[in-house]
Amino acid sequence: MIDVLIAGGGPTGLMLAAELRLHDVHVVVLEKLTEPTAESRGRGLHVRSVEMTDQRGLLDRFLAAGEKFQVGGFFGGIHKPWPKGMDTAHPYGLSILQPVTERLLRERALELGAELRLGCEVVGLAQDPDGVTVELADGTRLRSRYLVGCDGGRSTVRKQLGVPFPGEPAKVETLLGDMEMTEDQDTVTAVVAEVRKTELRFGVIPNGDGVYRVGVPAGEVAEEGADAPTLEEFRQRLRAVAGTDFGVHSPRWLSRFGDATRQAERYRVGRVLLAGDAAHIHPPTGGQGLNLGIQDAFNLGWKLAAEVAGWAPEGLLDSYHTERHPVGAAVLDNTRAQMTLLGTDPGAVALRGLLSRLMDFEEVNRYMTETAFAVNVRYDLGEGHELLGRRLRDVQLKSGRLYELMHDGRGLLLDRTGALSVAGWADRVDHVVDAAEELDVTAVLLRPDGYVAWVGEDQRDLLGSLRKWFGSPSD
């Protein structure tokens, strides 16, 4: 029997596959496409996602394929300088097109031994106390211990589970696509600058090799499930909004998206879980969708691996929903707010002006940027030290960097005294005796996803946290 089947071979599914393989889980990714997509879609990694690549030893690969950027305070189309004092050793985003991100994550998952099956569309599922039976479009049936739906906003897995997907339907729609154009760059730049004085949902961004990402407000909201727009529809909307169609031609990808905002009521039903767009959809304002999905996978991977291995303490797998559902809800709320700020009516313009003035305060600018970049996420792990429930930034140790010690996806006790012990959990938790001048604490226990599970100096107290997050001792 397969340990874990993953429906969907996008960034979320591939990140999850790689995380599971770090713990020797037999994982098979089922992707309905017959070859990797060339659609650019998501265009970058945010600070927290950049940190995650560093935690797994992948940062150099991503840096070589992308370009750092420091465009701070872009919340709701409001541009401010990059904020000072952000709580990270990686104070930048990474501009990188989604096909490249997928390629790098796919290479990583395959290197670790994941199996990827293309042209395999999940059409049905049934679960029982021992596992999940998955039916494919060609009639094939597969059996696994767990199934994770990473199959997008129209998720078949979610629909088969019957999980409610409440929220709001789209009120506005934007046409989005990658295409070439005959207009010269200076003219394009001038027109975009003029139009964006009043219409922030309009934009033209170079992808490279003469291809541009073009976004323009649609005339009306299409019916759910409508076909992709035609190139002629793009031309008509460009002429209506910008006064020119820029001579667009040779489209690589055409799409439409609305501001619909929905979230699955439950991220887990028995042996089936949801992650990424299968669990939540929202407008792409702030570029948070891809990042939210792979961060779901980073939270889920080690917990599901623990369940498969048999050492997961009670409630660990359920903590995936408990922790990530509020994070998803917060992203939905901030994208709702951003869509309001992008409006053209007098109220939206006034509100955007007010928030712009507030973001001139450094603390506000930093807060808004850290919110969009997932730096200030804190899981509710109860009362305690201010670090509890927060991810720990990379810090310099006497023997190197903290993130260099996390490549294998294990727990880690960072102990400056050497007086503590993880005896009984050494197969799951590394004990590093070292000191970080940046941390004014005696010891911290980090989960495999880099979030602080315990801060202190008492061995008995530590044992309680080890049991809570890493199960019973092995000896």
Side-chain angles (χ1 to χ4, degrees), residues 210-245:
V211 179
Y212 292 81
R213 162 69 65 85
V214 180
V216 60
E220 58 185 14
V221 177
E223 294 183 4
E224 185 174 352
D227 293 336
T230 64
L231 182 61
E232 182 56 33
E233 188 176 349
F234 253 96
R235 288 171 173 151
Q236 292 175 1
R237 290 308 300 161
L238 285 170
R239 289 193 290 266
V241 174
T244 174
D245 63 14

Coordinates of all heavy atoms in Angstrom, one line a residue, residues 210-245:
G210 N 10.7 38.9 -24.5 CA 9.7 39.6 -25.3 C 8.2 39.3 -24.9 O 7.3 39.7 -25.6
V211 N 8.0 38.5 -23.8 CA 6.7 38.2 -23.3 C 6.3 39.0 -22.1 O 7.2 39.3 -21.3 CB 6.7 36.7 -22.9 CG1 5.3 36.3 -22.4 CG2 7.0 35.8 -24.1
Y212 N 5.1 39.5 -22.1 CA 4.6 40.3 -21.0 C 3.4 39.7 -20.3 O 2.6 39.0 -20.9 CB 4.1 41.7 -21.6 CG 5.3 42.5 -22.1 CD1 5.7 42.3 -23.4 CD2 5.8 43.6 -21.4 CE1 6.8 43.1 -24.0 CE2 6.8 44.4 -21.9 CZ 7.3 44.1 -23.2 OH 8.3 44.9 -23.7
R213 N 3.4 39.9 -19.0 CA 2.2 39.6 -18.2 C 1.3 40.8 -18.2 O 1.7 41.9 -17.9 CB 2.6 39.3 -16.7 CG 1.5 39.3 -15.7 CD 0.4 38.2 -15.9 NE 1.0 36.9 -15.6 CZ 1.1 36.4 -14.4 NH1 0.7 37.1 -13.3 NH2 1.7 35.2 -14.2
V214 N 0.1 40.6 -18.7 CA -0.9 41.7 -18.9 C -2.1 41.4 -18.0 O -2.7 40.3 -18.1 CB -1.3 41.8 -20.4 CG1 -2.3 42.9 -20.6 CG2 -0.1 42.0 -21.3
G215 N -2.5 42.4 -17.3 CA -3.7 42.3 -16.5 C -4.6 43.5 -16.7 O -4.1 44.6 -16.7
V216 N -5.9 43.3 -17.0 CA -6.8 44.4 -17.3 C -8.2 44.0 -16.7 O -8.6 42.9 -16.8 CB -6.9 44.6 -18.8 CG1 -7.3 43.4 -19.5 CG2 -7.7 45.8 -19.1
P217 N -8.9 45.0 -16.1 CA -10.2 44.7 -15.6 C -11.2 44.2 -16.7 O -11.2 44.8 -17.8 CB -10.7 46.0 -15.0 CG -9.4 46.8 -14.7 CD -8.4 46.3 -15.7
A218 N -11.9 43.2 -16.4 CA -12.9 42.7 -17.3 C -14.1 43.6 -17.3 O -14.4 44.3 -16.4 CB -13.3 41.3 -17.0
G219 N -14.9 43.5 -18.4 CA -16.1 44.3 -18.4 C -17.2 43.8 -17.5 O -18.0 44.6 -17.0
E220 N -17.2 42.5 -17.2 CA -18.2 42.0 -16.4 C -17.7 40.6 -15.8 O -16.7 40.1 -16.3 CB -19.5 41.7 -17.1 CG -19.4 40.8 -18.3 CD -20.7 40.7 -19.1 OE1 -21.6 41.5 -18.9 OE2 -20.7 39.8 -19.9
V221 N -18.4 40.1 -14.8 CA -17.9 38.8 -14.2 C -18.5 37.7 -15.0 O -19.8 37.6 -15.2 CB -18.4 38.7 -12.7 CG1 -18.0 37.4 -12.2 CG2 -17.8 39.9 -11.9
A222 N -17.7 36.8 -15.5 CA -18.2 35.7 -16.3 C -18.8 34.6 -15.3 O -18.5 34.6 -14.1 CB -17.0 35.0 -17.1
E223 N -19.6 33.7 -15.9 CA -20.1 32.7 -15.1 C -19.0 31.7 -14.6 O -18.0 31.6 -15.2 CB -21.1 31.8 -15.9 CG -22.4 32.6 -16.3 CD -23.4 31.8 -17.1 OE1 -23.1 30.6 -17.2 OE2 -24.4 32.3 -17.6
E224 N -19.3 31.1 -13.4 CA -18.3 30.2 -12.9 C -18.0 29.1 -13.9 O -18.9 28.5 -14.4 CB -18.7 29.7 -11.5 CG -17.7 28.8 -10.8 CD -18.2 28.4 -9.4 OE1 -19.2 28.9 -9.0 OE2 -17.5 27.6 -8.8
G225 N -16.7 28.8 -14.1 CA -16.4 27.7 -15.0 C -16.3 28.2 -16.5 O -16.2 27.3 -17.4
A226 N -16.4 29.5 -16.7 CA -16.4 30.0 -18.1 C -15.1 29.7 -18.7 O -14.0 29.6 -18.1 CB -16.7 31.5 -18.1
D227 N -15.1 29.6 -20.1 CA -13.8 29.4 -20.8 C -12.9 30.6 -20.6 O -13.3 31.7 -20.2 CB -14.1 29.3 -22.3 CG -14.9 28.0 -22.6 OD1 -14.8 27.1 -21.8 OD2 -15.6 28.0 -23.7
A228 N -11.6 30.3 -20.9 CA -10.6 31.4 -20.8 C -10.9 32.5 -21.8 O -11.6 32.2 -22.9 CB -9.2 30.8 -21.1
P229 N -10.6 33.7 -21.6 CA -10.9 34.8 -22.5 C -10.1 34.6 -23.8 O -9.0 33.9 -23.9 CB -10.4 36.0 -21.8 CG -9.3 35.6 -20.9 CD -9.8 34.2 -20.4
T230 N -10.6 35.2 -24.9 CA -9.9 35.1 -26.2 C -8.9 36.3 -26.3 O -9.0 37.3 -25.5 CB -10.9 35.2 -27.4 OG1 -11.6 36.5 -27.3 CG2 -11.9 34.1 -27.3
L231 N -8.0 36.2 -27.2 CA -7.1 37.4 -27.4 C -7.9 38.6 -27.8 O -7.5 39.7 -27.4 CB -6.1 37.0 -28.5 CG -5.0 38.1 -28.7 CD1 -4.2 38.4 -27.5 CD2 -4.1 37.6 -29.9
E232 N -8.9 38.4 -28.6 CA -9.7 39.6 -29.0 C -10.4 40.2 -27.8 O -10.6 41.4 -27.8 CB -10.8 39.1 -30.1 CG -11.6 40.3 -30.6 CD -10.8 41.4 -31.2 OE1 -9.7 41.1 -31.8 OE2 -11.2 42.6 -31.1
E233 N -10.9 39.4 -26.9 CA -11.5 40.0 -25.7 C -10.4 40.8 -24.9 O -10.8 41.9 -24.4 CB -12.0 38.9 -24.8 CG -12.8 39.3 -23.6 CD -13.4 38.2 -22.8 OE1 -13.4 37.0 -23.2 OE2 -13.9 38.5 -21.7
F234 N -9.2 40.3 -24.9 CA -8.1 41.1 -24.3 C -7.9 42.4 -25.0 O -7.8 43.5 -24.4 CB -6.8 40.3 -24.3 CG -6.4 39.8 -23.0 CD1 -6.7 38.5 -22.6 CD2 -5.7 40.5 -22.1 CE1 -6.3 38.0 -21.4 CE2 -5.3 40.0 -20.9 CZ -5.6 38.7 -20.5
R235 N -7.9 42.4 -26.3 CA -7.7 43.6 -27.1 C -8.8 44.6 -26.8 O -8.5 45.8 -26.6 CB -7.6 43.3 -28.6 CG -6.3 42.6 -29.0 CD -6.4 42.1 -30.4 NE -5.2 41.5 -30.9 CZ -5.1 40.5 -31.8 NH1 -6.2 40.1 -32.4 NH2 -3.9 40.1 -32.2
Q236 N -10.0 44.2 -26.8 CA -11.1 45.1 -26.6 C -11.0 45.7 -25.2 O -11.3 46.9 -25.0 CB -12.5 44.3 -26.7 CG -12.8 43.8 -28.1 CD -14.0 43.0 -28.2 OE1 -14.7 42.7 -27.1 NE2 -14.4 42.5 -29.3
R237 N -10.7 44.9 -24.2 CA -10.6 45.5 -22.8 C -9.4 46.5 -22.7 O -9.5 47.5 -22.0 CB -10.5 44.4 -21.8 CG -11.8 43.6 -21.6 CD -13.0 44.5 -21.3 NE -12.8 45.3 -20.1 CZ -13.4 46.5 -19.8 NH1 -14.4 46.9 -20.7 NH2 -13.2 47.1 -18.7
L238 N -8.3 46.1 -23.3 CA -7.1 47.0 -23.3 C -7.5 48.4 -23.9 O -7.1 49.4 -23.4 CB -6.0 46.4 -24.0 CG -5.3 45.2 -23.2 CD1 -4.3 44.5 -24.1 CD2 -4.5 45.8 -22.0
R239 N -8.2 48.3 -25.1 CA -8.6 49.6 -25.7 C -9.5 50.4 -24.9 O -9.4 51.6 -24.8 CB -9.2 49.3 -27.1 CG -8.1 48.8 -28.1 CD -8.7 48.8 -29.5 NE -9.7 47.8 -29.7 CZ -9.5 46.6 -30.2 NH1 -8.3 46.2 -30.5 NH2 -10.5 45.7 -30.4
A240 N -10.4 49.7 -24.2 CA -11.4 50.4 -23.3 C -10.8 51.0 -22.1 O -11.1 52.1 -21.7 CB -12.5 49.4 -22.9
V241 N -9.8 50.4 -21.5 CA -9.2 50.8 -20.3 C -8.0 51.7 -20.5 O -7.8 52.7 -19.9 CB -8.8 49.6 -19.4 CG1 -8.0 50.1 -18.2 CG2 -10.0 48.8 -19.0
A242 N -7.1 51.3 -21.5 CA -5.9 52.0 -21.7 C -5.8 52.9 -23.0 O -4.9 53.6 -23.2 CB -4.7 51.0 -21.8
G243 N -6.9 52.7 -23.9 CA -6.9 53.5 -25.1 C -6.0 52.9 -26.2 O -5.9 53.4 -27.3
T244 N -5.4 51.7 -25.9 CA -4.6 51.0 -26.9 C -4.5 49.5 -26.5 O -4.6 49.2 -25.4 CB -3.2 51.6 -27.0 OG1 -2.4 50.8 -27.9 CG2 -2.5 51.6 -25.6
D245 N -4.3 48.7 -27.5 CA -4.2 47.3 -27.2 C -2.7 46.8 -27.3 O -2.4 45.7 -27.2 CB -5.0 46.4 -28.1 CG -4.7 46.5 -29.6 OD1 -3.6 47.0 -29.9 OD2 -5.4 46.0 -30.5

